[in-house]
Amino acid sequence: MIESNDSLLDIEVQPSKLDIGYTSTILRSPTKPMILLKKSIAERTGPLFHDFNLGILDHDLTKNSVRNGEPIGERIVVHGTVRNEIGEPIPNTILEIWQANAAGRYVHKVDQHNAPLDPNFLGTGRCRTDEHGNYKFYTIKPGAYPWGNHHNAWRPNHIHFSLFGNQIISRLVTQMYFPGDPLLEYDPIYKAVKAKGRELLISKFDLDITEPNYALGYRFDIVLRGSQATPFENR
Amino acid sequence: MLQTPSQTVGPYFAYGLTPKQYGYDFKNLTTNILESVLEGKEIITIKGKIFDGENKVIPDAMIELWQNDGEHNFFGRFGTGSESDSHFAFQTIKPNSVDGQAPFVTLIVFMRGQLIHSYTRFYFSDETELNKQDLVLNSVPAERQNTIIAQKKDSCYEFNIYMQGENETVFFEV
C-alpha cells in the first residue's frame, strides 16, 4: 500500500501522543490504533498559498504592530533553511510564527499571567522561504512564563512555528528553543521529544547573521516529513 | 535528514493562526468559508464539536480542512474558541468521487494536549453506495466506520470528533 518514496513519522525522534509528564495529553491523545492510509491525491498535495500576499512587515514582529514606540526586549533575527528528508530545500513555503513578548505574556485573551502586555508587540508574523529554502524574520526574544501543568512549572523561552511544505503530510507545528536555557530540562513538552530529536529543536546562536548594533542572530533549520521538494502536479 | 520533531500548538495560537476569527488585528491566511469562488455547486456546511476522554467539549482546539479531488482544492481553518458552544463549522462544496471511491474531506486536529496533530477524514452519510465499496472505509474495522461518516441533518452535515472513548474517531497514519 505504501509507495517506496513515502515516509512515515519517525518514531525515534517524534514525541509519543501520550506523555504523562504533560498532563493534558492524558484526555486528549487518541488511544486506538491508527489506520494506515493508502494515499490519494488529497494526501499527495496540500495548500500552497502562492496567491497569498504577505504584508510588507509580516516578517518583522518588531515593527508589524507598533503603536507608539518600539517593543521592549532583546531584538533578534531568526533564520534557517527548510528542507525535506532527503535534504532538498523547499522553496516558496509559508511559515507562521507566534510567541510571548519579552515579559513572557501572550496577547491571547486566555493568557492571564501577571506580566505586562506590550502595546507595540502582537507577537505574530509570517514569512516565506526563498528559492533556496531559506527564511528569515525579526522579533523580540520571548520571555519564560509559568503554566499549570505541575507545581512551579515554567515554559522555556520559545517561538511557535507552523509550516506546510508541499503535501498535507509535511504539515509541521513545532517550537524553537534557545541554547543554554536552564528550563529545558524541566519542561515536559520539550522532553516529550525522544532524546535523539531534542537537539533539533534548539536554535544555534549565529554571529554571522547577527546584525551589528541591531539584532542577535539565531539559526533554526527545519526538516519536513517527506521527500517532495516541489508540489505534486494535479494533472 | 532527521524530521524536525512536532510540538503542541498550545493554548495561545489564536492571534497567530486564526486572528480574524478571534478578533485580533492581523490578516488571516484562510478562513472557514471556502466556497465563495464557485458558482453552480451546492454549498454544504460541516459542523461539529470535539470531545475529550471525559466527553467534555474542547474549547481550545483548531481544525484544518483540506480537500482535493483533482478538480477543486480548498484549505480552511477554524478554532473552537470563538463560539459559545465551542463548535467548529466550515462552508465548502462536496468533493467529487475520485476513481470510484467515496468523496471525503481531510481534517487535521491541533490542540493543547496533543504533541502531534491528528489526521482524520469524513465521508458523507448520503453517499451510501460509494461508501459501501470504498477501500479506505473498508480498511476500518466495521464497528468504527460510523465515527468517520458525517451525518446529514437538515441544512448541514454533523461531524463530531471524539479523541478517546468508546466512540473514538478513527485517526489515520498518513
Side-chain angles (χ1 to χ4, degrees):
Chain A
M1 301 279 265
I2 302 184
E3 292 81 355
S4 56
N5 64 347
D6 282 348
S7 81
L8 293 172
L9 277 175
D10 184 349
I11 56 169
E12 290 186 22
V13 300
Q14 298 289 353
S16 302
K17 294 189 289 289
L18 173 67
D19 188 294
I20 52 170
Y22 177 23
T23 53
S24 50
T25 62
I26 295 169
L27 291 175
R28 290 179 164 208
S29 54
T31 62
K32 297 197 165 152
M34 303 267 141
I35 305 287
L36 191 58
L37 197 58
K38 183 183 189 316
K39 289 192 179 44
S40 69
I41 186 171
E43 285 77 36
R44 292 179 195 292
T45 55
L48 297 173
F49 307 109
H50 288 165
D51 299 327
F52 183 81
N53 291 316
L54 295 177
I56 52 169
L57 293 176
D58 277 7
H59 72 291
D60 191 342
L61 285 69
T62 72
K63 294 200 171 78
N64 70 12
S65 48
V66 160
R67 298 227 165 83
N68 56 10
E70 298 243 0
I72 301 290
E74 188 181 28
R75 203 185 286 120
I76 61 174
V77 51
V78 179
H79 80 143
T81 308
V82 181
R83 295 188 175 86
N84 63 18
E85 286 183 73
I86 55 172
E88 296 168 327
I90 302 182
N92 206 20
T93 193
I94 285 213
L95 295 87
E96 299 169 282
I97 43 214
W98 72 103
Q99 61 167 90
N101 68 20
R105 178 77 186 267
Y106 285 86
V107 165
H108 195 297
K109 295 170 184 93
V110 175
D111 184 7
Q112 295 299 314
H113 173 37
N114 182 19
L117 288 168
D118 185 334
N120 295 306
F121 191 72
L122 179 63
T124 186
R126 297 186 187 104
C127 55
R128 196 179 247 138
T129 57
D130 65 15
E131 68 270 35
H132 307 295
N134 298 319
Y135 74 89
K136 180 163 94 166
F137 64 90
Y138 294 83
T139 188
I140 296 293
K141 188 173 181 185
Y145 60 88
W147 60 309
N149 189 69
H150 56 274
H151 173 66
N152 215 6
W154 291 78
R155 294 294 333 275
N157 306 338
H158 63 275
I159 299 176
H160 293 266
F161 278 68
S162 158
L163 291 96
F164 289 92
N166 294 320
Q167 299 167 272
I168 208 72
I169 65 151
S170 54
R171 187 86 179 86
L172 174 70
V173 170
T174 191
Q175 301 180 26
M176 178 198 108
Y177 300 98
F178 290 85
D181 191 330
L183 292 172
L184 284 168
E185 69 171 293
Y186 302 102
D187 182 48
I189 294 179
Y190 168 71
K191 293 196 80 169
V193 171
K194 309 283 168 39
K196 189 177 166 188
R198 287 180 200 156
E199 281 293 309
L200 303 172
L201 294 182
I202 301 178
S203 58
K204 293 184 174 58
F205 173 68
D206 188 341
L207 192 61
D208 289 336
I209 67 137
T210 293
E211 299 185 15
N213 304 316
Y214 191 72
L216 290 172
Y218 290 88
R219 168 169 273 276
F220 183 56
D221 293 326
I222 296 169
V223 176
L224 300 182
R225 204 180 124 201
S227 54
Q228 194 174 300
T230 53
F232 178 84
E233 296 297 333
N234 255 7
R235 312 181 259 290
Chain B
M1 300 183 85
L2 292 177
Q3 295 167 4
T4 301
S6 173
Q7 293 273 267
T8 181
V9 76
Y12 306 137
F13 60 82
Y15 65 97
L17 301 183
T18 50
K20 287 289 175 232
Q21 183 199 338
Y22 285 69
Y24 296 101
D25 185 19
F26 190 58
K27 187 175 152 189
N28 262 18
L29 194 60
T30 182
T31 71
N32 64 327
I33 309 293
L34 307 171
E35 94 299 349
S36 56
V37 294
L38 283 175
E39 287 173 13
K41 280 271 191 182
E42 189 200 354
I43 307 299
I44 60 167
T45 299
I46 309 294
K47 210 170 155 179
K49 295 178 188 171
I50 312 177
F51 297 88
D52 72 10
E54 289 179 339
N55 241 3
K56 291 196 182 111
V57 179
I58 294 177
D60 58 359
M62 182 180 84
I63 302 267
E64 288 181 346
L65 175 151
W66 171 245
Q67 60 185 86
N68 185 359
D69 59 12
E71 185 180 359
H72 299 297
N73 65 75
F74 296 112
F75 176 77
R77 191 185 258 176
F78 200 71
T80 61
S82 69
E83 303 298 320
S84 58
D85 65 350
S86 305
H87 75 262
F88 64 85
F90 290 93
Q91 275 183 34
T92 182
I93 57 165
K94 194 191 272 188
N96 298 324
S97 160
V98 179
D99 298 334
Q101 297 299 294
F104 68 92
V105 172
T106 298
L107 296 181
I108 317 179
V109 184
F110 302 81
M111 65 180 82
R112 169 180 72 81
Q114 276 208 119
L115 287 155
I116 189 155
H117 50 268
S118 299
Y119 293 91
T120 186
R121 54 164 64 177
F122 63 83
Y123 293 85
F124 297 87
S125 63
D126 51 354
E127 296 286 353
T128 330
E129 286 311 306
L130 285 169
N131 288 347
K132 225 181 275 176
Q133 62 198 38
D134 186 86
L135 289 175
V136 172
L137 258 179
N138 282 311
S139 73
V140 171
E143 70 279 8
R144 299 191 66 197
Q145 289 177 10
N146 258 337
T147 71
I148 49 169
I149 298 179
Q151 299 298 321
K152 186 156 193 176
K153 299 220 163 141
D154 305 328
S155 60
C156 72
Y157 290 92
E158 184 179 67
F159 184 64
N160 290 323
I161 297 175
Y162 296 88
M163 299 311 300
Q164 300 180 350
E166 208 181 317
N167 300 318
E168 182 176 316
T169 300
V170 168
F171 296 102
F172 291 95
E173 174 111 49
V174 298

